[in-house]
Amino acid sequence: MKFNRLTTLVLMAMVLGVLVGYACHSYAPSPEAAKDIASYFSILTDIFLRMIKMIIAPLVFATLVAGLAGMGDAKAVGRIGSRALGWFIAASFCSLFIGLVFSNLLQPGHALNVPLPDSAAGLQLKTSALNLKDFITHVFPKNIFEAMATNEVLQILVFALFFGVALGHLHSQTARSLVSTMEEVVHVMLKVTDYVMRFAPVGVFGAVAATITVQGLGMLSVFGKFMLSFYLALATLWLLLVVAGYVVLGKDIFRLLKLIRGPLLVGFSTASSESTYPKLMEQLEKFGVKPRVTGFVLPLGYSFNLDGSMVYTTFLAIFIAQAYGIEMSLTAQITMLLVLMVSSKGIAGVPRASLVVVAAVLPMFGLPEAGILLILGIDHFLDMGRTLTNVLGNAIATAVVAKWENAIDPVDAALAEREEVLPAPGEDGAPQAA
């Protein structure tokens, strides 16, 4: 497996943070002195987190508006879109629920007792006071600029929903130009996100060094437990997706799994769903899915059906609460699940989108955003599993919707499998990392 440069730098920063933090922890004359030293490392963390917050509002707004406007008239979406979205919503809910259950059962962050960062220590952590009434009324913005200024993601989503649908219904040249502008804004924000993520090694170094300075090396075992617990949750979701596919497709689900082995491997090795898209579309057509269904459902799935990322968002959020010793009631956890269900649909396809989603949602529940940096050093390994799951979920979803639409052509299974093994003309087989 070939690591990209950013991943290598993040891992190096993590190791360096452990070494520097251990040295500071060992030579600090007192726990109070260790906390003072850690506060200076936390400056790097705070800067990185501020830049993450900086990109959230424009990224969510531009991505969602461009996607909705590009779909055009809602009537044109029709039956296929309704069925696809129904499957996506059900799969997303199951994924979030699995992440919630496994994080509570396995408790990967239990007894870690990371001290709250100074920026979050003064927050009033009233997670148990959350209720459905306050949640529903707070969703709707009274001022979109205020919502953007305070990174109220759900309020931004509501406004973007109205704005995007309205823009999609207008067919004037000015409206088309505005759609094109929003699409360009998405590209610009993706590039800005890439620039911000280049500072991730600095933020990781500061977070790890500060934590080890105060806590010592005892927390390192948490990383292994976190990865094992997370992949166990993913394996459960894989089984659920295959069973759901079997209910609709029957034994053909196993032929589909054979056909998409290549895209799954590419997605796992590159941790990039985008790198699998062309090959996955080709394999779905070999499975017999008609191009009109593949061309509509698969892109929609890449925006609204990121099952692996869904598991990760609830899993990571509860892990952060456990790591900081913050108790969350069942009501608060279910409310968080619903919030993530909605907010995660706004920035699909963004590099490290799961981290951005979690960073946006954590403040709503009084949880410190700095918690995401606890696992950023191993996020590449987690992202490999997330990507494989996303690709698997979208392949099954597309095939299921095609089955419902009677849009699967009969194919020669032996011929399809033989073609799947052979490289496509002009294809060198080298996966490209996003």
Side-chain angles (χ1 to χ4, degrees):
M1 180 180 59
K2 183 178 180 181
F3 294 102
N4 60 43
R5 184 168 178 266
L6 178 61
T7 300
T8 303
L9 290 175
V10 167
L11 291 174
M12 291 173 60
M14 179 179 166
V15 173
L16 183 61
V18 170
L19 296 176
V20 173
Y22 178 67
C24 293
H25 178 78
S26 300
Y27 292 103
S30 66
E32 290 73 19
K35 289 183 179 180
D36 289 339
I37 296 172
S39 67
Y40 289 99
F41 290 126
S42 297
I43 294 175
L44 302 176
T45 303
D46 292 341
I47 291 174
F48 178 68
L49 290 174
R50 281 176 173 266
M51 289 192 293
I52 287 289
K53 293 179 182 179
M54 172 185 73
I55 64 177
I56 289 174
L59 192 56
V60 170
F61 179 76
T63 305
L64 196 59
V65 168
L68 290 170
M71 293 173 67
D73 191 350
K75 293 181 180 179
V77 176
R79 186 177 61 252
I80 297 178
S82 300
R83 287 177 168 175
L85 290 175
W87 177 276
F88 296 161
I89 291 172
S92 296
F93 182 84
C94 291
S95 302
L96 290 165
F97 185 73
I98 287 174
L100 198 67
V101 169
F102 274 82
S103 59
N104 279 283
L105 286 178
L106 303 177
Q107 298 195 352
H110 181 65
L112 187 58
N113 295 324
V114 177
L116 285 171
D118 292 338
S119 59
L123 292 177
Q124 297 179 351
L125 306 178
K126 298 181 179 179
T127 55
S128 60
L130 291 171
N131 58 72
L132 185 61
K133 174 180 175 294
D134 292 339
F135 168 70
I136 293 177
T137 55
H138 187 70
V139 163
F140 297 92
K142 55 185 178 181
N143 187 317
I144 183 57
F145 298 105
E146 179 185 356
M148 287 188 169
T150 55
N151 271 342
E152 292 286 354
V153 177
L154 288 181
Q155 296 184 5
I156 297 172
L157 282 171
V158 169
F159 181 81
L161 179 64
F162 282 98
F163 192 90
V165 171
L167 188 59
H169 277 77
L170 299 177
H171 303 290
S172 66
Q173 183 61 40
T174 302
R176 294 300 92 197
S177 298
L178 185 54
V179 172
S180 299
T181 300
M182 294 306 300
E183 292 172 347
E184 289 303 314
V185 170
V186 172
H187 295 151
V188 172
M189 290 311 305
L190 290 176
K191 180 60 68 175
V192 173
T193 303
D194 178 62
Y195 292 152
V196 169
M197 292 309 301
R198 294 183 185 186
F199 289 89
V202 179
V204 168
F205 169 78
V208 173
T211 302
I212 300 296
T213 297
V214 176
Q215 297 292 312
L217 296 178
M219 67 162 294
L220 294 183
S221 62
V222 174
F223 290 143
K225 183 178 180 181
F226 183 92
M227 288 185 63
L228 181 62
S229 302
F230 177 65
Y231 271 90
L232 185 58
L234 285 183
T236 303
L237 179 59
W238 299 339
L239 179 61
L240 180 63
L241 288 171
V242 172
V243 170
Y246 182 83
V247 171
V248 179
L249 300 172
K251 293 182 179 180
D252 282 344
I253 184 66
F254 301 111
R255 182 166 63 88
L256 175 65
L257 293 177
K258 286 183 179 180
L259 284 169
I260 64 173
R261 285 177 300 181
L264 289 177
L265 180 60
V266 171
F268 183 78
S269 60
T270 62
S272 168
S273 298
E274 286 75 11
S275 65
T276 70
Y277 184 87
K279 187 65 175 178
L280 183 60
M281 178 174 284
E282 176 185 335
Q283 296 306 96
L284 285 170
E285 292 183 5
K286 287 182 180 179
F287 180 73
V289 179
K290 292 184 178 179
R292 64 182 177 84
V293 176
T294 306
F296 178 76
V297 177
L298 194 58
L300 197 63
Y302 267 65
S303 295
F304 292 96
N305 189 45
L306 304 177
D307 298 330
S309 300
M310 296 295 95
V311 175
Y312 186 66
T313 52
T314 47
F315 196 92
L316 177 57
I318 300 302
F319 166 80
I320 291 173
Q322 294 169 354
Y324 286 99
I326 300 172
E327 294 293 333
M328 293 190 68
S329 67
L330 179 60
T331 301
Q333 292 188 34
I334 293 176
T335 305
M336 177 183 286
L337 184 150
L338 297 175
V339 172
L340 288 168
M341 182 79 177
V342 178
S343 61
S344 60
K345 305 306 179 189
I347 54 176
V350 178
R352 298 184 184 269
S354 303
L355 295 177
V356 179
V357 169
V358 176
V361 171
L362 288 177
M364 302 180 191
F365 297 86
L367 302 176
E369 305 97 311
I372 64 174
L373 295 177
L374 293 175
I375 50 80
L376 193 54
I378 60 170
D379 185 66
H380 179 83
F381 302 100
L382 304 172
D383 198 15
M384 292 164 67
R386 295 199 302 265
T387 301
L388 185 150
T389 308
N390 292 341
V391 175
L392 176 65
N394 281 315
I396 293 177
T398 304
V400 165
V401 173
K403 182 70 173 181
W404 285 339
E405 290 291 315
N406 294 318
I408 297 182
D409 294 324
V411 296
D412 186 329
L415 177 61
E417 184 172 353
R418 186 165 67 251
E419 288 179 348
E420 190 270 333
V421 175
L422 298 175
E427 180 180 347
D428 59 10
Q432 297 294 323

